[in-house]
Amino acid sequence: QVQLVETGGGLVQAGGSLRLSCAASVSTFGRYAIGWFRQAPGKEREFVAVRGANEFYADSVRGRFAVSRDSAKNTVDLQMNSLKPEDTANYYCAAAPDYYTISRRTNDYAYWGKGTQVTVSS
């Protein structure tokens, strides 16, 4: 069982930056691909980015967001720059057992955190 905890959410003005962090409870964290998803009120959960053996981003965030991994700290961070009001959502990290996946499907991720809220004001 992998437990994930997201931190770093908050309120930021449009054009600003935030850095989210996903911490895992297991030392085998490095064997999983870690995905970031987000869900705005009234909308479905959508893929943002994934990093395992490969790195892949949604079109809406490519060039603005970046995923990095710190094996020593057992964390995967999501650096979000040039934030827009439409980036407002609850952000979740998730772990996929397939380290090589670049899946955008929520069903391919076995473990999920509880999320952290990001609000971007205009």
Side-chain angles (χ1 to χ4, degrees):
Q1 188 77 6
V2 179
Q3 293 182 328
L4 304 174
V5 178
E6 305 94 337
T7 56
L11 174 64
V12 64
Q13 287 188 335
S17 298
L18 276 176
R19 189 176 184 91
L20 306 183
S21 187
C22 175
S25 61
V26 295
S27 60
T28 55
F29 190 46
R31 300 179 185 175
Y32 294 84
I34 302 302
W36 284 94
F37 291 77
R38 65 188 181 186
Q39 188 166 19
K43 295 187 177 181
E44 292 187 354
R45 191 168 297 189
E46 66 173 1
F47 170 81
V48 174
V50 61
R51 180 154 185 164
N54 304 292
E55 192 174 343
F56 188 71
Y57 297 88
D59 289 344
S60 59
V61 307
R62 188 174 292 116
R64 300 188 297 122
F65 291 12
V67 182
S68 60
R69 197 157 194 150
D70 189 329
S71 298
K73 295 182 179 180
N74 238 20
T75 59
V76 174
D77 291 352
L78 180 67
Q79 177 66 42
M80 305 186 295
N81 300 324
S82 303
L83 283 162
K84 305 174 182 180
E86 51 264 42
D87 294 320
T88 295
N90 204 12
Y91 282 70
Y92 300 87
C93 66
D98 181 0
Y99 182 65
Y100 295 90
T101 189
I102 55 170
S103 174
R104 291 169 284 184
R105 302 191 311 165
T106 56
N107 286 348
D108 289 332
Y109 294 80
Y111 305 102
W112 291 81
K114 294 183 178 181
T116 185
Q117 178 67 35
V118 172
T119 302
V120 184
S121 62
S122 57

